[in-house]
Amino acid sequence: MSERAVRYAREQGQRFVSELKDLLRIPSISTAPEHVADVRRAAEFVAAGLRAAGMEQVRLIETSRDQWQGKPGHQGHPLVYAEWLHAEPMPDGHTRPTVLLYGHYDVQPAEPLEEWKSPPFEPTERDGNLYARGAVDDKGQMWMQVKALECLLKADGGLPVNVRVIVEGEEEVGGEGIAAFVREHGDQLKADVALVCDTEMFAPELPTLCVGLRGMIYTELEARGAATDLHSGMYGGVAPNPLVALAQMIAQMKTADGHIAIPGFYDGIEAPTAAELEAWRSLPFDVEEYRRREVGSTELTGEEEFSVLERTWARPTMDVHGVVGGFTGVGAKTVIPARATAKISFRLVPGMKPEETFERYKRFVEQICPRGIQVTVSLIHSGDPIVISTENRFAHAATESMAEVFGRPTVFMRSGGSIPIVGDFVRELGTPTVLMGFGLPDDNLHAPNEKFHLANFHRGIESIVRFLDRVGEPARAES
Ligand code: BES
Ligand code: MN
Ligand code: MN
Protein backbone atom coordinates (compact mmCIF):
# COMPACT_ATOMS: atom_id res chain seq x y z
CA MET A 1 0.00 0.00 0.00
CA SER A 2 1.33 3.39 -0.93
CA GLU A 3 1.07 5.26 2.36
CA ARG A 4 3.08 8.05 0.76
CA ALA A 5 0.48 8.62 -1.95
CA VAL A 6 -2.31 8.68 0.62
CA ARG A 7 -0.37 11.18 2.72
CA TYR A 8 0.21 13.31 -0.39
CA ALA A 9 -3.54 13.24 -1.10
CA ARG A 10 -4.31 14.47 2.42
CA GLU A 11 -1.69 17.23 2.29
CA GLN A 12 -2.71 18.46 -1.17
CA GLY A 13 -6.48 17.96 -0.83
CA GLN A 14 -7.33 21.66 -0.61
CA ARG A 15 -5.38 22.44 -3.76
CA PHE A 16 -7.20 19.60 -5.56
CA VAL A 17 -10.53 21.19 -4.66
CA SER A 18 -9.44 24.62 -5.81
CA GLU A 19 -8.32 23.18 -9.17
CA LEU A 20 -11.65 21.42 -9.50
CA LYS A 21 -13.37 24.77 -8.97
CA ASP A 22 -11.39 26.21 -11.89
CA LEU A 23 -12.59 23.35 -14.09
CA LEU A 24 -16.17 23.82 -12.90
CA ARG A 25 -16.08 27.47 -13.96
CA ILE A 26 -15.88 26.36 -17.60
CA PRO A 27 -19.44 25.87 -18.93
CA SER A 28 -18.66 22.78 -21.02
CA ILE A 29 -22.26 22.04 -22.01
CA SER A 30 -21.87 19.51 -24.79
CA THR A 31 -25.34 19.87 -26.26
CA ALA A 32 -25.10 23.65 -26.73
CA PRO A 33 -23.55 24.87 -30.02
CA GLU A 34 -22.73 28.23 -28.40
CA HIS A 35 -20.47 26.44 -25.90
CA VAL A 36 -18.27 24.55 -28.37
CA ALA A 37 -15.23 26.67 -27.43
CA ASP A 38 -15.89 26.18 -23.69
CA VAL A 39 -16.09 22.44 -24.16
CA ARG A 40 -12.67 22.54 -25.83
CA ARG A 41 -11.30 24.71 -23.03
CA ALA A 42 -12.39 22.08 -20.52
CA ALA A 43 -10.63 19.39 -22.58
CA GLU A 44 -7.43 21.47 -22.54
CA PHE A 45 -7.76 21.91 -18.78
CA VAL A 46 -8.01 18.16 -18.27
CA ALA A 47 -5.04 17.56 -20.56
CA ALA A 48 -2.97 20.11 -18.61
CA GLY A 49 -3.93 18.38 -15.35
CA LEU A 50 -2.80 15.03 -16.72
CA ARG A 51 0.51 16.52 -17.90
CA ALA A 52 1.09 18.16 -14.52
CA ALA A 53 0.38 14.83 -12.83
CA GLY A 54 3.24 13.30 -14.81
CA MET A 55 1.24 11.39 -17.41
CA GLU A 56 2.69 10.90 -20.89
CA GLN A 57 1.48 11.10 -24.52
CA VAL A 58 -1.18 13.53 -23.33
CA ARG A 59 -3.22 14.75 -26.29
CA LEU A 60 -6.62 15.74 -27.56
CA ILE A 61 -8.13 13.36 -30.08
CA GLU A 62 -10.61 14.97 -32.44
CA THR A 63 -13.95 13.27 -33.03
CA SER A 64 -16.42 14.15 -35.71
CA ARG A 65 -20.11 13.61 -35.81
CA ASP A 66 -21.96 13.38 -39.10
CA GLN A 67 -25.00 14.90 -37.55
CA TRP A 68 -24.34 17.50 -34.94
CA GLN A 69 -27.35 19.65 -34.23
CA GLY A 70 -28.42 18.83 -37.75
CA LYS A 71 -25.29 20.45 -39.19
CA PRO A 72 -23.53 17.83 -41.30
CA GLY A 73 -19.77 17.67 -40.87
CA HIS A 74 -19.72 19.62 -37.64
CA GLN A 75 -16.72 18.92 -35.43
CA GLY A 76 -17.46 16.74 -32.41
CA HIS A 77 -15.96 17.44 -29.00
CA PRO A 78 -12.43 16.12 -28.42
CA LEU A 79 -11.36 13.13 -26.34
CA VAL A 80 -8.46 13.55 -23.93
CA TYR A 81 -5.94 10.72 -23.92
CA ALA A 82 -2.96 10.03 -21.64
CA GLU A 83 -0.88 7.03 -20.68
CA TRP A 84 1.89 5.86 -18.37
CA LEU A 85 3.15 2.42 -19.26
CA HIS A 86 6.30 1.97 -17.21
CA ALA A 87 5.09 -0.13 -14.29
CA GLU A 88 7.84 -2.38 -12.97
CA PRO A 89 7.40 -6.05 -13.88
CA MET A 90 6.16 -8.43 -11.18
CA PRO A 91 8.74 -10.38 -9.15
CA ASP A 92 8.06 -13.38 -11.40
CA GLY A 93 8.73 -11.32 -14.55
CA HIS A 94 5.10 -10.87 -15.64
CA THR A 95 4.07 -7.40 -16.70
CA ARG A 96 1.72 -5.47 -14.43
CA PRO A 97 -1.90 -5.09 -15.53
CA THR A 98 -3.02 -2.06 -17.53
CA VAL A 99 -5.91 -0.02 -16.16
CA LEU A 100 -8.04 2.22 -18.40
CA LEU A 101 -9.46 5.21 -16.52
CA TYR A 102 -12.63 6.73 -17.98
CA GLY A 103 -14.61 9.86 -17.16
CA HIS A 104 -16.31 12.77 -18.94
CA TYR A 105 -15.67 16.50 -18.79
CA ASP A 106 -18.88 17.65 -20.45
CA VAL A 107 -21.96 18.64 -18.48
CA GLN A 108 -25.71 18.98 -18.83
CA PRO A 109 -27.32 22.40 -19.38
CA ALA A 110 -27.91 24.31 -16.14
CA GLU A 111 -31.51 25.47 -16.72
CA PRO A 112 -33.72 26.42 -14.91
CA LEU A 113 -31.21 29.01 -13.72
CA GLU A 114 -33.51 30.74 -11.24
CA GLU A 115 -33.66 27.56 -9.15
CA TRP A 116 -29.93 27.66 -8.31
CA LYS A 117 -28.99 29.03 -4.87
CA SER A 118 -25.54 29.95 -6.23
CA PRO A 119 -24.80 30.28 -9.96
CA PRO A 120 -24.12 26.94 -11.71
CA PHE A 121 -20.71 27.97 -13.04
CA GLU A 122 -19.53 29.76 -9.89
CA PRO A 123 -18.58 26.79 -7.71
CA THR A 124 -19.54 27.49 -4.10
CA GLU A 125 -18.88 25.56 -0.89
CA ARG A 126 -21.72 25.20 1.60
CA ASP A 127 -21.90 22.70 4.49
CA GLY A 128 -19.12 20.48 3.21
CA ASN A 129 -20.58 20.34 -0.30
CA LEU A 130 -19.30 21.90 -3.50
CA TYR A 131 -22.18 23.25 -5.60
CA ALA A 132 -21.83 23.64 -9.37
CA ARG A 133 -23.04 22.05 -12.60
CA GLY A 134 -20.73 19.06 -13.16
CA ALA A 135 -19.53 18.96 -9.52
CA VAL A 136 -20.26 15.24 -9.25
CA ASP A 137 -21.34 14.42 -12.84
CA ASP A 138 -18.65 14.07 -13.82
CA LYS A 139 -15.94 16.70 -13.49
CA GLY A 140 -15.45 16.08 -9.77
CA GLN A 141 -15.28 12.31 -10.14
CA MET A 142 -13.06 12.49 -13.23
CA TRP A 143 -10.75 14.89 -11.36
CA MET A 144 -10.46 12.33 -8.53
CA GLN A 145 -8.90 9.98 -11.07
CA VAL A 146 -6.45 12.60 -12.36
CA LYS A 147 -5.50 13.48 -8.78
CA ALA A 148 -5.08 9.84 -7.74
CA LEU A 149 -2.56 9.48 -10.59
CA GLU A 150 -0.79 12.63 -9.44
CA CYS A 151 -0.58 11.36 -5.85
CA LEU A 152 1.02 8.09 -6.94
CA LEU A 153 3.34 9.63 -9.53
CA LYS A 154 4.53 12.47 -7.27
CA ALA A 155 4.77 10.52 -4.02
CA ASP A 156 6.21 7.28 -5.41
CA GLY A 157 7.79 8.39 -8.69
CA GLY A 158 5.72 5.86 -10.63
CA LEU A 159 2.46 3.94 -10.81
CA PRO A 160 1.76 0.45 -9.44
CA VAL A 161 0.11 -0.49 -12.76
CA ASN A 162 0.22 0.65 -16.36
CA VAL A 163 -2.43 3.27 -16.99
CA ARG A 164 -4.29 4.70 -19.94
CA VAL A 165 -6.76 7.52 -19.54
CA ILE A 166 -9.61 8.42 -21.87
CA VAL A 167 -11.90 11.32 -21.00
CA GLU A 168 -14.76 12.26 -23.29
CA GLY A 169 -16.69 15.45 -23.89
CA GLU A 170 -19.90 14.02 -25.35
CA GLU A 171 -21.18 11.62 -22.70
CA GLU A 172 -24.20 13.76 -21.94
CA VAL A 173 -25.18 13.75 -25.61
CA GLY A 174 -24.78 10.05 -26.25
CA GLY A 175 -21.04 9.49 -26.64
CA GLU A 176 -21.02 8.84 -30.39
CA GLY A 177 -17.48 10.21 -30.79
CA ILE A 178 -15.86 7.89 -28.28
CA ALA A 179 -17.88 4.95 -29.61
CA ALA A 180 -16.46 5.55 -33.10
CA PHE A 181 -12.96 5.84 -31.64
CA VAL A 182 -13.36 2.53 -29.79
CA ARG A 183 -14.61 0.87 -32.98
CA GLU A 184 -11.78 2.20 -35.13
CA HIS A 185 -8.85 2.43 -32.72
CA GLY A 186 -9.84 0.15 -29.86
CA ASP A 187 -6.30 -1.24 -29.71
CA GLN A 188 -5.08 2.14 -28.40
CA LEU A 189 -7.25 1.64 -25.33
CA LYS A 190 -6.19 -1.94 -24.70
CA ALA A 191 -6.32 -2.67 -20.98
CA ASP A 192 -6.99 -5.46 -18.51
CA VAL A 193 -9.65 -3.50 -16.69
CA ALA A 194 -11.50 -0.21 -17.07
CA LEU A 195 -12.26 1.98 -14.05
CA VAL A 196 -15.25 4.27 -14.48
CA CYS A 197 -15.98 6.89 -11.81
CA ASP A 198 -19.38 8.28 -12.86
CA THR A 199 -21.97 6.58 -10.66
CA GLU A 200 -23.33 6.99 -7.16
CA MET A 201 -23.42 5.39 -3.74
CA PHE A 202 -26.58 3.74 -2.49
CA ALA A 203 -26.62 5.89 0.64
CA PRO A 204 -24.32 8.29 2.49
CA GLU A 205 -21.33 6.55 4.11
CA LEU A 206 -22.13 3.32 2.27
CA PRO A 207 -19.32 2.32 -0.11
CA THR A 208 -20.96 1.05 -3.28
CA LEU A 209 -19.96 -0.84 -6.38
CA CYS A 210 -22.34 -0.27 -9.28
CA VAL A 211 -22.92 -3.51 -11.18
CA GLY A 212 -25.51 -2.55 -13.75
CA LEU A 213 -26.59 0.35 -15.94
CA ARG A 214 -29.62 0.69 -18.15
CA GLY A 215 -29.15 1.26 -21.84
CA MET A 216 -31.15 3.79 -23.81
CA ILE A 217 -32.46 5.01 -27.09
CA TYR A 218 -33.04 8.76 -27.37
CA THR A 219 -35.38 9.75 -30.16
CA GLU A 220 -37.25 12.62 -31.72
CA LEU A 221 -40.73 12.50 -33.23
CA GLU A 222 -41.60 15.12 -35.76
CA ALA A 223 -45.24 15.54 -36.77
CA ARG A 224 -46.28 17.62 -39.76
CA GLY A 225 -49.80 18.59 -40.75
CA ALA A 226 -50.75 21.59 -42.89
CA ALA A 227 -48.29 23.19 -45.27
CA THR A 228 -48.08 26.28 -43.08
CA ASP A 229 -49.36 27.59 -39.72
CA LEU A 230 -53.09 28.34 -39.95
CA HIS A 231 -55.72 30.52 -38.27
CA SER A 232 -57.42 28.16 -35.83
CA GLY A 233 -60.82 29.76 -36.34
CA MET A 234 -60.78 29.63 -40.09
CA TYR A 235 -59.40 26.10 -40.34
CA GLY A 236 -60.12 24.53 -36.93
CA GLY A 237 -62.29 21.45 -37.48
CA VAL A 238 -60.59 20.34 -40.68
CA ALA A 239 -56.87 21.01 -40.37
CA PRO A 240 -54.78 18.27 -38.72
CA ASN A 241 -53.03 19.45 -35.55
CA PRO A 242 -49.51 18.01 -35.05
CA LEU A 243 -49.46 18.82 -31.33
CA VAL A 244 -52.69 16.94 -30.74
CA ALA A 245 -51.35 14.11 -32.90
CA LEU A 246 -48.17 13.90 -30.78
CA ALA A 247 -50.25 13.87 -27.59
CA GLN A 248 -52.41 11.06 -28.97
CA MET A 249 -49.45 8.97 -30.04
CA ILE A 250 -47.61 9.50 -26.75
CA ALA A 251 -50.73 8.59 -24.79
CA GLN A 252 -50.97 5.29 -26.64
CA MET A 253 -47.41 4.29 -25.84
CA LYS A 254 -47.98 3.66 -22.14
CA THR A 255 -50.98 2.30 -20.26
CA ALA A 256 -52.22 3.77 -16.99
CA ASP A 257 -50.60 0.94 -15.02
CA GLY A 258 -47.17 1.72 -16.44
CA HIS A 259 -46.86 -0.90 -19.19
CA ILE A 260 -45.37 0.14 -22.47
CA ALA A 261 -47.83 -0.80 -25.21
CA ILE A 262 -45.39 -1.20 -28.10
CA PRO A 263 -45.82 -4.76 -29.43
CA GLY A 264 -42.88 -7.00 -28.48
CA PHE A 265 -41.30 -4.31 -26.32
CA TYR A 266 -40.65 -6.63 -23.36
CA ASP A 267 -39.57 -9.66 -25.42
CA GLY A 268 -36.35 -11.26 -24.26
CA ILE A 269 -35.90 -9.21 -21.10
CA GLU A 270 -33.67 -10.94 -18.54
CA ALA A 271 -34.95 -10.60 -15.00
CA PRO A 272 -32.46 -10.17 -12.14
CA THR A 273 -31.54 -13.43 -10.41
CA ALA A 274 -33.25 -14.48 -7.20
CA ALA A 275 -29.99 -13.87 -5.36
CA GLU A 276 -29.75 -10.34 -6.73
CA LEU A 277 -33.35 -9.54 -5.79
CA GLU A 278 -32.70 -10.92 -2.32
CA ALA A 279 -29.64 -8.68 -1.95
CA TRP A 280 -31.66 -5.64 -3.05
CA ARG A 281 -34.23 -6.36 -0.37
CA SER A 282 -31.52 -6.11 2.28
CA LEU A 283 -30.35 -2.65 1.17
CA PRO A 284 -31.38 0.15 3.54
CA PHE A 285 -34.31 1.59 1.59
CA ASP A 286 -37.49 3.26 2.76
CA VAL A 287 -39.96 3.79 -0.08
CA GLU A 288 -41.90 6.50 1.71
CA GLU A 289 -38.78 8.46 2.57
CA TYR A 290 -37.53 8.05 -1.01
CA ARG A 291 -40.83 9.37 -2.36
CA ARG A 292 -40.82 12.34 -0.03
CA ARG A 293 -37.13 13.32 0.02
CA GLU A 294 -35.83 12.30 -3.41
CA VAL A 295 -38.82 12.38 -5.73
CA GLY A 296 -40.99 14.90 -3.92
CA SER A 297 -44.24 13.79 -5.57
CA THR A 298 -47.52 12.75 -4.00
CA GLU A 299 -47.14 9.20 -5.34
CA LEU A 300 -44.70 6.91 -7.10
CA THR A 301 -45.97 5.59 -10.40
CA GLY A 302 -45.24 2.71 -12.72
CA GLU A 303 -45.53 -1.05 -12.57
CA GLU A 304 -46.87 -1.83 -9.12
CA GLU A 305 -45.98 -5.50 -9.36
CA PHE A 306 -42.29 -4.54 -9.26
CA SER A 307 -40.46 -2.94 -6.34
CA VAL A 308 -39.13 0.60 -6.71
CA LEU A 309 -35.55 -0.64 -7.06
CA GLU A 310 -36.62 -3.14 -9.72
CA ARG A 311 -38.57 -0.45 -11.55
CA THR A 312 -35.59 1.90 -11.64
CA TRP A 313 -32.79 -0.65 -12.13
CA ALA A 314 -34.19 -3.61 -13.99
CA ARG A 315 -37.29 -2.51 -15.91
CA PRO A 316 -37.39 -0.52 -19.14
CA THR A 317 -39.05 2.88 -19.33
CA MET A 318 -40.48 5.41 -21.75
CA ASP A 319 -40.23 9.11 -20.95
CA VAL A 320 -41.01 12.35 -22.73
CA HIS A 321 -38.46 15.10 -22.19
CA GLY A 322 -40.00 17.95 -24.11
CA VAL A 323 -42.63 18.84 -26.66
CA VAL A 324 -42.18 21.86 -28.87
CA GLY A 325 -44.50 23.47 -31.33
CA GLY A 326 -46.97 26.25 -31.92
CA PHE A 327 -47.32 29.18 -29.57
CA THR A 328 -45.56 29.04 -26.21
CA GLY A 329 -45.15 32.74 -25.43
CA VAL A 330 -47.00 34.89 -22.89
CA GLY A 331 -50.63 35.53 -23.65
CA ALA A 332 -52.63 33.92 -26.44
CA LYS A 333 -52.33 33.24 -30.14
CA THR A 334 -54.87 31.25 -32.11
CA VAL A 335 -52.77 29.12 -34.39
CA ILE A 336 -52.77 25.56 -35.69
CA PRO A 337 -49.06 24.82 -35.99
CA ALA A 338 -47.82 23.14 -39.15
CA ARG A 339 -45.21 21.19 -37.25
CA ALA A 340 -44.42 19.92 -33.75
CA THR A 341 -41.70 17.75 -32.23
CA ALA A 342 -41.23 15.61 -29.13
CA LYS A 343 -38.08 14.24 -27.50
CA ILE A 344 -38.77 10.72 -26.28
CA SER A 345 -36.39 8.21 -24.76
CA PHE A 346 -36.52 4.63 -23.57
CA ARG A 347 -34.28 3.07 -20.91
CA LEU A 348 -33.34 -0.49 -21.77
CA VAL A 349 -32.46 -3.44 -19.55
CA PRO A 350 -30.46 -6.62 -20.21
CA GLY A 351 -31.93 -8.68 -23.01
CA MET A 352 -32.99 -5.61 -25.00
CA LYS A 353 -31.14 -4.36 -28.06
CA PRO A 354 -31.25 -0.64 -28.95
CA GLU A 355 -31.72 -1.24 -32.70
CA GLU A 356 -34.55 -3.75 -32.18
CA THR A 357 -36.36 -1.56 -29.68
CA PHE A 358 -36.05 1.41 -32.02
CA GLU A 359 -37.50 -0.55 -34.96
CA ARG A 360 -40.47 -1.76 -32.87
CA TYR A 361 -41.15 1.76 -31.65
CA LYS A 362 -40.85 3.26 -35.12
CA ARG A 363 -43.23 0.71 -36.60
CA PHE A 364 -45.74 1.31 -33.80
CA VAL A 365 -45.62 5.10 -34.18
CA GLU A 366 -46.11 4.86 -37.94
CA GLN A 367 -49.08 2.57 -37.36
CA ILE A 368 -50.86 4.79 -34.84
CA CYS A 369 -50.07 8.08 -36.55
CA PRO A 370 -53.38 9.99 -36.92
CA ARG A 371 -54.86 10.78 -40.32
CA GLY A 372 -53.43 13.80 -42.11
CA ILE A 373 -50.19 13.76 -40.12
CA GLN A 374 -46.77 12.79 -41.45
CA VAL A 375 -44.55 11.51 -38.70
CA THR A 376 -40.77 11.13 -38.80
CA VAL A 377 -39.06 9.03 -36.13
CA SER A 378 -35.35 9.63 -35.69
CA LEU A 379 -32.77 8.09 -33.42
CA ILE A 380 -30.53 10.68 -31.77
CA HIS A 381 -28.32 8.28 -29.82
CA SER A 382 -28.34 4.87 -28.19
CA GLY A 383 -26.39 2.68 -25.79
CA ASP A 384 -26.51 -0.91 -24.57
CA PRO A 385 -27.65 -1.99 -21.11
CA ILE A 386 -25.02 -3.72 -19.01
CA VAL A 387 -24.66 -5.96 -15.98
CA ILE A 388 -21.24 -6.62 -14.56
CA SER A 389 -19.92 -9.67 -12.73
CA THR A 390 -18.56 -9.14 -9.23
CA GLU A 391 -16.61 -12.38 -9.36
CA ASN A 392 -13.20 -11.25 -10.55
CA ARG A 393 -10.11 -9.83 -8.90
CA PHE A 394 -10.79 -6.33 -10.20
CA ALA A 395 -14.23 -6.15 -8.60
CA HIS A 396 -12.69 -7.54 -5.41
CA ALA A 397 -9.92 -4.92 -5.52
CA ALA A 398 -12.60 -2.22 -5.82
CA THR A 399 -14.85 -3.48 -3.02
CA GLU A 400 -11.88 -3.97 -0.66
CA SER A 401 -10.39 -0.56 -1.42
CA MET A 402 -13.64 1.28 -0.81
CA ALA A 403 -14.41 -0.76 2.31
CA GLU A 404 -11.02 0.25 3.76
CA VAL A 405 -11.54 3.92 3.06
CA PHE A 406 -15.13 4.08 4.34
CA GLY A 407 -14.63 1.58 7.17
CA ARG A 408 -17.69 -0.50 6.17
CA PRO A 409 -18.34 -3.37 3.77
CA THR A 410 -19.09 -2.40 0.17
CA VAL A 411 -22.60 -3.01 -1.17
CA PHE A 412 -23.64 -3.71 -4.75
CA MET A 413 -26.30 -1.79 -6.60
CA ARG A 414 -27.47 -1.24 -10.13
CA SER A 415 -28.29 2.21 -11.47
CA GLY A 416 -31.11 3.35 -13.67
CA GLY A 417 -28.77 5.77 -15.47
CA SER A 418 -26.75 5.09 -18.60
CA ILE A 419 -23.12 5.53 -19.62
CA PRO A 420 -23.21 4.50 -23.27
CA ILE A 421 -19.51 3.70 -23.69
CA VAL A 422 -19.42 1.14 -20.87
CA GLY A 423 -21.24 -1.38 -23.05
CA ASP A 424 -18.60 -0.86 -25.77
CA PHE A 425 -15.73 -1.32 -23.31
CA VAL A 426 -17.17 -4.66 -22.32
CA ARG A 427 -18.43 -5.86 -25.73
CA GLU A 428 -16.06 -4.21 -28.26
CA LEU A 429 -12.88 -4.29 -26.22
CA GLY A 430 -13.66 -7.24 -23.94
CA THR A 431 -12.42 -5.17 -21.00
CA PRO A 432 -13.88 -6.01 -17.59
CA THR A 433 -15.20 -2.79 -16.11
CA VAL A 434 -15.42 -1.51 -12.56
CA LEU A 435 -17.94 1.22 -11.76
CA MET A 436 -16.74 2.89 -8.59
CA GLY A 437 -18.88 5.94 -7.87
CA PHE A 438 -18.97 8.52 -5.08
CA GLY A 439 -22.09 10.57 -5.80
CA LEU A 440 -24.93 10.70 -3.27
CA PRO A 441 -28.64 10.20 -3.92
CA ASP A 442 -29.28 13.89 -3.14
CA ASP A 443 -26.45 15.30 -5.28
CA ASN A 444 -28.97 16.67 -7.83
CA LEU A 445 -27.43 15.26 -11.00
CA HIS A 446 -28.81 17.03 -14.11
CA ALA A 447 -30.88 19.26 -11.81
CA PRO A 448 -30.48 22.67 -10.17
CA ASN A 449 -28.05 22.79 -7.22
CA GLU A 450 -25.91 19.86 -8.30
CA LYS A 451 -23.25 19.22 -5.67
CA PHE A 452 -20.42 16.93 -4.64
CA HIS A 453 -20.02 16.00 -0.98
CA LEU A 454 -16.38 17.02 -0.56
CA ALA A 455 -15.61 14.24 1.91
CA ASN A 456 -16.49 11.83 -0.90
CA PHE A 457 -14.20 13.64 -3.33
CA HIS A 458 -11.28 12.97 -0.95
CA ARG A 459 -12.40 9.42 -0.14
CA GLY A 460 -12.76 8.81 -3.85
CA ILE A 461 -9.15 9.79 -4.52
CA GLU A 462 -7.95 7.51 -1.73
CA SER A 463 -10.13 4.64 -2.97
CA ILE A 464 -8.68 4.97 -6.47
CA VAL A 465 -5.10 5.07 -5.12
CA ARG A 466 -5.77 1.90 -3.14
CA PHE A 467 -7.55 0.25 -6.07
CA LEU A 468 -4.60 0.85 -8.41
CA ASP A 469 -2.22 -0.45 -5.76
CA ARG A 470 -4.25 -3.62 -5.30
CA VAL A 471 -4.63 -4.27 -9.01
CA GLY A 472 -0.84 -4.00 -9.28
CA GLU A 473 -0.22 -6.63 -6.64
CA PRO A 474 0.61 -10.11 -7.90
CA ALA A 475 -2.67 -12.01 -8.29
CA ARG A 476 -3.32 -14.23 -5.34
CA ALA A 477 -4.76 -17.63 -6.01
CA GLU A 478 -8.46 -16.97 -5.45
CA SER A 479 -10.01 -19.45 -3.14
N1 BES B 1 -23.24 9.72 -14.77
C1 BES B 1 -24.48 9.64 -15.46
C2 BES B 1 -25.12 8.27 -15.43
C3 BES B 1 -25.41 7.76 -14.05
C4 BES B 1 -26.07 8.55 -13.12
C5 BES B 1 -25.05 6.50 -13.71
C6 BES B 1 -26.33 8.07 -11.86
C7 BES B 1 -25.32 6.01 -12.46
C8 BES B 1 -25.95 6.80 -11.53
C9 BES B 1 -24.25 10.06 -16.90
O1 BES B 1 -23.51 11.24 -17.02
C10 BES B 1 -25.57 10.34 -17.55
O2 BES B 1 -26.26 11.20 -17.09
N2 BES B 1 -25.85 9.66 -18.61
C11 BES B 1 -26.96 9.96 -19.43
C12 BES B 1 -26.69 9.22 -20.69
C13 BES B 1 -27.41 9.64 -21.88
C14 BES B 1 -27.38 11.10 -22.17
C15 BES B 1 -26.93 8.84 -23.06
C16 BES B 1 -28.24 9.47 -18.80
O3 BES B 1 -28.25 8.46 -18.08
O4 BES B 1 -29.26 10.12 -19.02
MN1 MN C 1 -21.89 11.19 -15.82
MN1 MN D 1 -24.99 12.90 -16.60
Side-chain angles (χ1 to χ4, degrees), residues 421-440:
I421 198 59
V422 171
D424 301 70
F425 285 163
V426 175
R427 271 177 281 268
E428 281 294 319
L429 300 180
T431 311
T433 299
V434 170
L435 301 167
M436 212 157 87
F438 300 92
L440 291 180

Side-chain angles (χ1 to χ4, degrees), residues 104 137 171-172 198-200 216 347 381 415 418 420 446:
H104 63 92
D137 184 14
E171 196 279 338
E172 300 291 9
D198 190 25
T199 55
E200 46 166 19
M216 78 153 15
R347 297 277 166 175
H381 60 69
S415 267
S418 311
H446 295 199

Side-chain angles (χ1 to χ4, degrees), residues 102 104 106 108 136-138 141 170-175 196-201 210 212-218 321 345 347 381-383 413-420 435 445-446:
Y102 164 87
H104 63 92
D106 65 319
Q108 290 268 325
V136 72
D137 184 14
D138 178 46
Q141 297 206 67
E170 297 181 341
E171 196 279 338
E172 300 291 9
V173 290
V196 174
C197 295
D198 190 25
T199 55
E200 46 166 19
M201 297 168 25
C210 179
L213 294 167
R214 289 194 287 197
M216 78 153 15
I217 57 173
Y218 197 106
H321 308 289
S345 83
R347 297 277 166 175
H381 60 69
S382 65
M413 72 181 283
R414 292 201 204 173
S415 267
S418 311
I419 307 174
L435 301 167
L445 279 74
H446 295 199

